[in-house]
Amino acid sequence: MTTNTKYNLTTRILLAMAIGILVGTFFKFLLDGQAERTVNIGEFSFGIKALFIDGFFHVGGQIFISSLKMLVVPLVLVSLICGTSSLKDVKTLGRIGTKSMGLYILTTAMAIAIAVFFAVLIKPGEGVNLQLATSFDAGQAPGIAQVFINMFPANPIDAMAKGEMLQIIVFAVLFGIAMALVGDAGERLRLFFEDLNTAIMKLVEIVMHFSPYGVFFLMAKQFTILELSDMVNLGKYFGLVMFVLFFHGFMVYGSFLAFVGRLNPLMFFRKMKETALFAFSTSSSNATIASNMTTTTHKLGVDNKVASFTIPLGATINMDGTAIMQGVATIFIAQVYNIDLTMSDYLLVVLTATLASIGTAGVPGVGLVMLAMVLQQVGLPVEGIALIIGVDRLLDMTRTAVNITGDAMVSCLVAKSENCFDEKVYNDPKAGQQF
Ligand code: ASP
């Protein structure tokens, strides 16, 4: 679908975001801390919050999120089946899997190590008042054994119905391998799935076309809720997480691209803008899968064989941004409670936060729940999470953008090393602009 507006999609999304922020802030100002404000126009009266914030903004935003989620299961299933069934041999798949898992874990461990380093240096928890405004219910984090068991679907249809990403990936890969092994029948099926994939990609394009409206609604609602005073109180924590997120997102990923992939990082960041904005406004790696797959394949030149595997896998297990928040938050909480951590505690933080971020689902706010697991491991008070809840939403938005940027970066490196990469597309600033 070609857009007949004179602005490209990224500009339209940015514009929608800016207007959404302004409108949201305006409504927050109108409500002036009250739960509701009634406006009377002649005979007609309505509540501002009920009509706009819980009405238009909420409904519009949720429809957008649902439309994005709607794409995920069919897109991942079908494109991964296409990708796997067209691989020459199972060994290639094994290599792609090993490389991407290795890079995902390596970058996550680096992310937390950097976060812990800066948190120890800057001491964001010093001088913070221990007055908890709310309490925090940690919930139950799944054990490691269960995480492995859960990867295998007892019922693939159930996995799809529930959107269990790892199970869908395992099923699609196995099915793709089986297709590749059954000769003519597999070839006929492959053609069918290729056609299905084309239609699903069209659907992705259609949803993307309307995305600026969705972004507007999400931002408008978000900015009526955001408490800026919390951000000032927890300024050091907030600022530090933000700083490490940007540092990791640009410096670490940029270095990987330049030195490992021998690719121009600026081109990468330029092309990732739109998908990063999606992640920012939805706070969900999962909801960003469709946009990220389109960007990596059409704009960055990663072959679908690699992207169809690495992007959904990354959205599920690779959470560098989340790990950064968990690293800083752990040290922050230890400092607030005046608990000294030893060197081995720091190592434990790196290890458990890596595992926790793997176990974090790509949906809004779960990073905070998984933080409970890290705190428990190092023997820190889980209630400490209540301290940082107030500023977490904006951090969640930003860390999700880092999470998905990491997925795309690793996809480029893996694709390049497997000769499944079109460098001409990567270096062409106009490539894939119709998306
Ligand atoms: N919202 C994050 C994501 O979807 C996860 C988190 O950190 O809460 O990637």
Side-chain angles (χ1 to χ4, degrees):
M1 184 189 285
T2 47
T3 52
N4 45 13
T5 49
K6 57 182 174 178
Y7 302 110
N8 68 22
L9 188 57
T10 312
T11 317
R12 287 169 57 224
I13 293 178
L14 265 177
L15 216 64
M17 188 174 257
I19 300 173
I21 291 174
L22 284 179
V23 170
T25 312
F26 172 71
F27 274 91
K28 186 177 165 64
F29 177 72
L30 267 188
L31 275 175
D32 198 20
Q34 300 166 46
E36 181 58 293
R37 188 166 177 169
T38 312
V39 175
N40 298 306
I41 303 174
E43 299 267 287
F44 190 62
S45 90
F46 60 88
I48 289 187
K49 184 163 185 291
L51 185 66
F52 289 99
I53 303 173
D54 297 337
F56 293 129
F57 302 164
H58 179 68
V59 173
Q62 287 311 304
I63 290 178
F64 176 53
I65 299 262
S66 295
S67 324
L68 288 175
K69 286 193 191 154
M70 165 187 88
L71 303 169
V72 173
V73 174
L75 179 67
V76 171
L77 182 80
V78 174
S79 65
L80 194 48
I81 288 178
C82 290
T84 326
S85 61
S86 62
L87 282 174
K88 295 276 175 305
D89 56 52
V90 182
K91 266 202 227 116
T92 317
L93 189 70
R95 269 200 323 271
I96 295 176
T98 316
K99 283 181 191 169
S100 45
M101 284 293 289
L103 278 169
Y104 282 152
I105 293 175
L106 174 73
T107 49
T108 306
M110 283 175 74
I112 315 167
I114 297 170
V116 169
F117 171 79
F118 277 110
V120 171
L121 194 76
I122 312 268
K123 299 188 178 56
E126 252 181 17
V128 171
N129 201 335
L130 230 181
Q131 269 176 350
L132 304 185
T134 38
S135 66
F136 183 78
D137 178 16
Q140 205 51 42
I144 286 293
Q146 202 54 39
V147 170
F148 282 109
I149 297 172
N150 286 351
M151 282 169 59
F152 291 84
N155 177 347
I157 306 293
D158 189 46
M160 286 175 226
K162 296 201 175 112
E164 292 286 351
M165 207 44 66
L166 286 181
Q167 297 189 356
I168 297 172
I169 292 175
V170 168
F171 176 72
V173 167
L174 293 178
F175 192 76
I177 293 175
M179 267 169 61
L181 294 175
V182 291
D184 282 352
E187 189 49 32
R188 285 194 299 273
L189 270 176
R190 205 175 62 77
L191 292 177
F192 164 75
F193 276 109
E194 293 282 358
D195 285 352
L196 200 55
N197 200 28
T198 312
I200 293 173
M201 286 313 288
K202 194 65 183 177
L203 190 58
V204 172
E205 231 182 281
I206 294 170
V207 174
M208 296 303 163
H209 182 71
F210 290 103
S211 59
Y213 303 101
V215 169
F216 164 79
F217 289 127
L218 287 176
M219 286 294 116
K221 167 120 198 239
Q222 215 38 256
F223 275 77
T224 57
I225 309 170
L226 276 185
E227 264 325 322
L228 287 174
S229 58
D230 285 338
M231 266 164 237
V232 178
N233 292 341
L234 289 176
K236 242 179 162 183
Y237 165 77
F238 180 81
L240 184 60
V241 178
M242 279 294 194
F243 165 74
V244 183
L245 286 175
F246 277 92
F247 180 84
H248 190 75
F250 287 107
M251 303 308 286
V252 177
Y253 291 161
S255 308
F256 266 100
L257 285 164
F259 301 118
V260 182
R262 307 241 158 253
L263 294 166
N264 176 0
L266 293 180
M267 194 55 100
F268 174 84
F269 293 122
R270 179 174 168 170
K271 294 188 172 183
M272 280 305 291
K273 253 189 310 198
E274 197 177 289
T275 303
L277 289 175
F278 256 95
F280 183 80
S281 47
T282 60
S283 286
S284 168
S285 297
N286 262 1
T288 315
I289 288 178
S291 168
N292 210 4
M293 274 172 68
T294 323
T295 301
T296 38
T297 48
H298 292 93
K299 295 186 182 169
L300 294 170
V302 176
D303 194 299
N304 182 48
K305 286 191 200 69
V306 173
S308 63
F309 177 74
T310 51
I311 295 296
L313 180 71
T316 318
I317 66 158
N318 182 46
M319 308 266 169
D320 295 1
T322 304
I324 287 170
M325 176 281 286
Q326 291 174 339
V328 177
T330 309
I331 309 299
F332 170 80
I333 290 170
Q335 288 166 351
V336 174
Y337 282 87
N338 264 321
I339 299 171
D340 283 330
L341 296 178
T342 60
M343 199 57 205
S344 62
D345 286 333
Y346 291 134
L347 285 176
L348 199 59
V349 172
V350 174
L351 191 73
T352 43
T354 308
L355 291 175
S357 77
I358 292 175
T360 304
V363 289
V366 258
L368 218 50
V369 178
M370 295 306 277
L371 174 61
M373 177 175 125
V374 183
L375 293 175
Q376 266 159 2
Q377 285 293 324
V378 239
L380 289 172
V382 174
E383 313 84 74
I385 296 181
L387 280 169
I388 51 174
I389 277 185
V391 293
D392 196 63
R393 186 64 207 205
L394 202 56
L395 292 179
D396 190 8
M397 296 160 87
T398 316
R399 69 181 179 248
T400 308
V402 174
N403 289 346
I404 59 91
T405 306
D407 304 340
M409 187 278 288
V410 167
S411 304
C412 289
L413 296 192
V414 173
K416 189 152 185 228
S417 75
E418 286 293 323
N419 278 330
C420 293
F421 189 71
D422 190 337
E423 213 158 332
K424 269 211 236 68
V425 172
Y426 183 95
N427 287 321
D428 175 4
K430 292 206 164 19
Q433 256 189 1
Q434 73 273 28
F435 288 98

